[in-house]
Amino acid sequence: MSSLTVILYLAAVLDSSVPQRLKDLAFPQDDLEEAVESVLSEYFVSNHSAVIILRSARTGFDLEQLHSDILDRVMAQTSTSIAFMFPTTSGLSQRPCFYNLLLIDGYLAFQTVIKQIDPDRNEFGGRFLFVMTSADRVEKVTLHSMFSTLWSNNIVNVLVITKQYGEILMYSYFPYSADHCEYTEPVLVDRWDSGQGNVNLFPNKLANLYGCPMRIASFDYPPFTMIARNSCSGKIHLIGYEGFLIDTIARKFNFSVELVVPEGNPQWGVIENNTALSGAFKMIVNLEVNLSVGGYSVREERVALMEPSVTYHVVSLMLAVPPGRPYTAFEKLFRPFTLITWLMIALYLLLGCLCIVVLRFYPNSIRNFTYGRRTGSPLINMLNSFFGGALVRTPARNFARTLLFLWMYYSFVMRSLYTGSLYEFLQQNKTFSHISSIKHLESEGIPYLISDTFKAFLTAYPQVLRRTQTLEDNPPAEIFHNLKRGRLNAAVLATHDYIAWYNERYFREGVVHLADDVLLQQPICLYFPKRNCLTHPVNLQIENIKVSGLLGYWMHQYVGYRFYKRTKRTQKAPNHQHSPKVLTNEHLAGCYQALVWLLALSAGIFALELASTRFHWLRMVFERIE
């Protein structure tokens, strides 16, 4: 008797079931291997993704060996088209695997394998192929328990292949249908037969959610999210930039939005020691909602607890600064002309005075040729004609008349321009330029108001953090009302989009100014629970929306950047048409001040003229001026 015969005989004596199990499991598995190979070749081939393999056999060593045999043969047949990998303890792959092959021999093995599935290693929105090699009949109640566990882990794209009574059966579940929501009853997808493959074994189960509700956590954070209430039904709904985004995604996947506001409205919430303590963060981590939206930035501590979507907008963190000092009534008198214009006027007057002084050293014939005979004091006449006064005697010579005409024409143009512009400027509440840089804020010693959420972003600006006061995550509009009215002397950190939204809404009461420095730019996203099947299809839809250009269109429904289109030097206020107004005493306060100063100057000169009758040197000065 050969050694092989002895071994088989002893095995049969020790366990009479072994030969039957080997007969049922080892030899007739060629069709099961062929079915697995066919599914992998059709649905698991990608140039960019490997297939990760997990397995567990709890029934016995023979089934564990059977798994190895199946893998060896399948990998040998698909080695040219599919890359396989096994999980390692030394490190994780660069990104979660979309394709997952799992070999089990029963429900106990399934429970072991499901614990090995890790969101850092396995993409829960990917495809999962379970190969069940149980020798016993797989009951529907077992499949239902398996699918319920998979659904609780947000794993939807599932196919279970098993062999029963010589027939290869393929099961899956469809959580959404016209009659059910979150339904986990097993459905026989196909009976596999070599050469047949007309059934789509991995259909898009999330393409149509049949109006089933999706719980979405959000809060007021304009212009991204704003909670609105229907005046008739009283039901709350989401509007704003990301409200448009959620509505578009909801229409695409045909689900209804069940909006959930965090209790106490703590908005995003707090994360400490890798634990979500409050707000929307806590609701996401505890699987109370399907996703959350609210201008979320991508941050390391958040990604460790939740799964972000692709980013679709970039926010700029900037400092809202107090307005510049208002112009006094007297300072407004100088606003119609720019500095260069005032300098040119002063230059012309100075040249006129210089010519008069120089001509005093020339003969009377030259002075008479230039001024005219017996026309009085040339300096007084020059100033008198400049301000529109009348001359007692005009020159008779042509040259002197020509000079006078040119000077009067220049003076008329400048006075007309000045008085026309002054009418407008006297009615405007203008201020000096606001602070435009952190350096200027530091020199002025102005404190900063920054929320705890934003403080973590500013580690590169220690000079800012030194004088920082804590602010709520979403500053109320009242803070910006006080800031633009000059009642708050502080710099408030906010997003550029929020300030643009605020100015667009409240510009009639004035605008909030921003310093030129951009402290930080952050991409924003949606957040899902860590184990989630919606992330991948929603990401694809967001990418399509980004390409379409709708994101920019939606933002401009709530935000206008017209106040920030120009640089500081060329920035102008919007042109608001208005009817002429009667000037009030408040408008003319600067003119009254100028009148008082000029009357005081005239009174002083008159007093000096009276004093010149007693002081010879003073009389000589006045005679020189004349």
Side-chain angles (χ1 to χ4, degrees):
M1 182 182 296
S2 65
S3 58
L4 178 60
T5 305
V6 173
I7 292 174
L8 292 175
Y9 176 77
L10 292 175
V13 171
L14 295 175
D15 186 0
S16 59
S17 66
V18 170
Q20 181 62 36
R21 294 177 68 181
L22 290 174
K23 178 180 178 182
D24 292 341
L25 298 175
F27 297 103
Q29 293 299 318
D30 290 342
D31 50 354
L32 180 60
E33 295 164 6
E34 188 177 350
V36 173
E37 177 193 341
S38 176
V39 173
L40 291 175
S41 299
E42 185 171 354
Y43 297 98
F44 283 64
V45 175
S46 174
N47 293 329
H48 308 288
S49 299
V51 177
I52 190 169
I53 299 172
L54 300 175
R55 59 179 180 170
S56 176
R58 299 291 297 273
T59 309
F61 175 76
D62 52 343
L63 288 176
E64 185 175 350
Q65 185 61 43
L66 177 60
H67 289 172
S68 298
D69 293 341
I70 294 175
L71 286 176
D72 289 342
R73 295 169 187 172
V74 169
M75 292 172 68
Q77 293 295 324
T78 59
S79 60
T80 60
S81 57
I82 301 177
F84 293 91
M85 62 178 294
F86 291 88
T88 61
T89 57
S90 58
L92 300 176
S93 60
Q94 292 184 351
R95 61 177 181 176
C97 289
F98 187 83
Y99 299 114
N100 305 269
L101 174 62
L102 307 98
L103 292 92
I104 56 178
D105 62 354
Y107 187 70
L108 292 178
F110 168 80
Q111 291 180 315
T112 301
V113 166
I114 206 69
K115 294 177 182 178
Q116 299 176 21
I117 299 178
D118 190 296
D120 294 325
R121 182 172 55 206
N122 309 91
E123 185 172 327
F124 281 57
R127 294 176 178 174
F128 289 78
L129 175 61
F130 286 87
V131 180
M132 183 175 286
T133 57
S134 174
D136 301 323
R137 183 175 181 272
V138 180
E139 301 292 339
K140 279 198 171 184
V141 64
T142 302
L143 292 172
H144 178 67
S145 298
M146 291 172 57
F147 292 150
S148 296
T149 302
L150 291 169
W151 173 246
S152 66
N153 285 277
N154 281 290
I155 299 176
V156 175
N157 296 318
V158 177
L159 184 68
V160 177
I161 298 181
T162 184
K163 182 175 182 179
Q164 297 184 24
Y165 306 112
E167 189 176 17
I168 304 299
L169 304 179
M170 300 182 180
Y171 290 94
S172 187
Y173 77 103
F174 296 84
Y176 298 103
S177 65
D179 302 319
H180 303 283
C181 294
E182 302 185 5
Y183 192 63
T184 57
E185 286 295 322
V187 176
L188 180 62
V189 178
D190 194 17
R191 288 181 168 85
W192 188 84
D193 187 12
S194 180
Q196 297 183 3
N198 298 326
V199 178
N200 184 3
L201 302 179
F202 286 94
N204 188 353
K205 300 176 184 179
L206 301 177
N208 187 353
L209 303 187
Y210 295 94
C212 293
M214 290 286 112
R215 290 173 60 84
I216 299 177
S218 191
F219 40 81
D220 274 311
Y221 185 54
F224 301 102
T225 54
M226 290 173 279
I227 307 298
R229 188 176 296 274
N230 189 296
S231 57
C232 298
S233 64
K235 185 179 179 181
I236 60 174
H237 60 280
L238 196 63
I239 61 175
Y241 169 64
E242 291 178 309
F244 279 122
L245 177 64
I246 292 298
D247 287 343
T248 302
I249 294 174
R251 287 195 298 270
K252 173 65 179 179
F253 294 102
N254 190 22
F255 65 78
S256 59
V257 175
E258 182 180 338
L259 191 61
V260 182
V261 179
E263 187 176 353
N265 197 22
Q267 300 181 336
W268 300 291
V270 177
I271 296 178
E272 290 184 3
N273 299 323
N274 206 30
T275 303
L277 301 180
S278 62
F281 292 148
K282 185 177 181 181
M283 299 180 74
I284 300 171
V285 173
N286 293 343
L287 304 180
E288 299 176 22
V289 294
N290 298 99
L291 64 97
S292 184
V293 58
Y296 289 103
S297 58
V298 181
R299 294 176 56 183
E300 183 178 358
E301 69 273 13
R302 297 177 181 178
V303 175
L305 295 177
M306 302 170 289
E307 187 170 357
S309 70
V310 295
T311 59
Y312 45 84
H313 184 69
V314 176
V315 297
S316 299
L317 292 180
M318 303 180 72
L319 288 168
V321 296
R325 178 180 65 82
Y327 284 97
T328 64
F330 186 73
E331 288 171 335
K332 287 183 179 180
L333 298 179
F334 297 92
R335 296 210 64 228
F337 291 155
T338 61
L339 178 61
I340 187 66
T341 304
W342 285 117
L343 291 177
M344 293 304 297
I345 293 175
L347 178 62
Y348 289 148
L349 290 173
L350 182 62
L351 289 175
C353 295
L354 182 62
C355 289
I356 293 172
V357 171
V358 171
L359 287 174
R360 290 185 67 85
F361 299 98
Y362 283 80
N364 287 334
S365 60
I366 300 298
R367 291 200 298 269
N368 293 336
F369 178 77
T370 307
Y371 307 142
R373 190 182 301 273
R374 294 189 298 274
T375 55
S377 173
L379 179 60
I380 299 300
N381 289 340
M382 182 185 72
L383 295 177
N384 193 25
S385 61
F386 180 77
F387 288 106
L391 297 180
V392 177
R393 181 175 292 178
T394 59
R397 303 287 295 268
N398 289 336
F399 180 75
R401 287 184 175 182
T402 302
L403 286 180
L404 177 62
F405 172 77
L406 293 175
W407 178 250
M408 292 179 64
Y409 178 74
Y410 167 77
S411 302
F412 171 77
V413 171
M414 298 307 296
R415 286 198 313 272
S416 299
L417 293 175
Y418 178 80
T419 54
S421 299
L422 183 63
Y423 176 78
E424 290 288 336
F425 282 107
L426 289 177
Q427 300 177 72
Q428 295 176 356
N429 296 320
K430 291 294 183 179
T431 62
F432 285 92
S433 297
H434 61 272
I435 295 174
S436 60
S437 66
I438 294 180
K439 185 178 180 180
H440 194 177
L441 287 169
E442 289 294 309
S443 64
E444 295 287 334
I446 295 178
Y448 302 95
L449 296 181
I450 301 175
S451 68
D452 285 329
T453 301
F454 290 152
K455 280 184 181 179
F457 297 144
L458 302 180
T459 55
Y461 297 90
Q463 73 275 23
V464 173
L465 295 177
R466 278 196 298 267
R467 292 202 318 277
T468 295
Q469 301 175 18
T470 303
L471 188 66
E472 297 178 17
D473 280 340
N474 188 7
E478 188 64 28
I479 288 181
F480 296 99
H481 291 341
N482 293 333
L483 184 67
K484 70 182 180 183
R485 292 167 183 165
R487 300 173 185 170
L488 177 63
N489 187 35
V492 183
L493 185 67
T495 64
H496 184 206
D497 297 305
Y498 176 82
I499 299 300
W501 169 83
Y502 175 90
N503 284 338
E504 192 68 26
R505 186 172 183 181
Y506 301 106
F507 70 89
R508 291 180 178 84
E509 305 169 10
V511 299
V512 173
H513 300 283
L514 290 171
D516 296 339
D517 299 310
V518 177
L519 300 185
L520 187 71
Q521 288 189 317
Q522 280 262 307
I524 64 172
C525 63
L526 309 176
Y527 272 115
F528 300 85
K530 197 66 174 176
R531 303 183 176 195
N532 197 274
C533 57
L534 286 173
T535 308
H536 182 70
V538 169
N539 283 345
L540 294 178
Q541 182 61 21
I542 292 176
E543 292 290 356
N544 291 335
I545 294 173
K546 287 167 63 176
V547 173
S548 70
L550 284 173
L551 292 172
Y553 173 76
W554 291 336
M555 180 60 79
H556 282 83
Q557 298 300 300
Y558 293 93
V559 170
Y561 300 100
R562 54 180 171 149
F563 299 100
Y564 305 108
K565 285 182 179 179
R566 302 177 180 89
T567 62
K568 183 180 67 175
R569 292 186 177 181
T570 60
Q571 183 174 341
K572 297 180 180 178
N575 183 22
H576 305 304
Q577 298 295 332
H578 57 79
S579 58
K581 297 180 181 178
V582 177
L583 293 177
T584 64
N585 286 328
E586 183 181 358
H587 296 150
L588 298 175
C591 299
Y592 294 153
Q593 292 178 18
L595 177 61
V596 170
W597 281 104
L598 292 175
L599 288 176
L601 179 62
S602 300
I605 294 175
F606 181 67
L608 290 175
E609 287 182 343
L610 293 177
S612 67
T613 59
R614 295 190 177 186
F615 299 99
H616 177 71
W617 64 269
L618 186 58
R619 185 168 62 252
M620 293 296 294
V621 171
F622 280 109
E623 289 177 355
R624 280 285 185 182
I625 296 176
E626 292 178 359

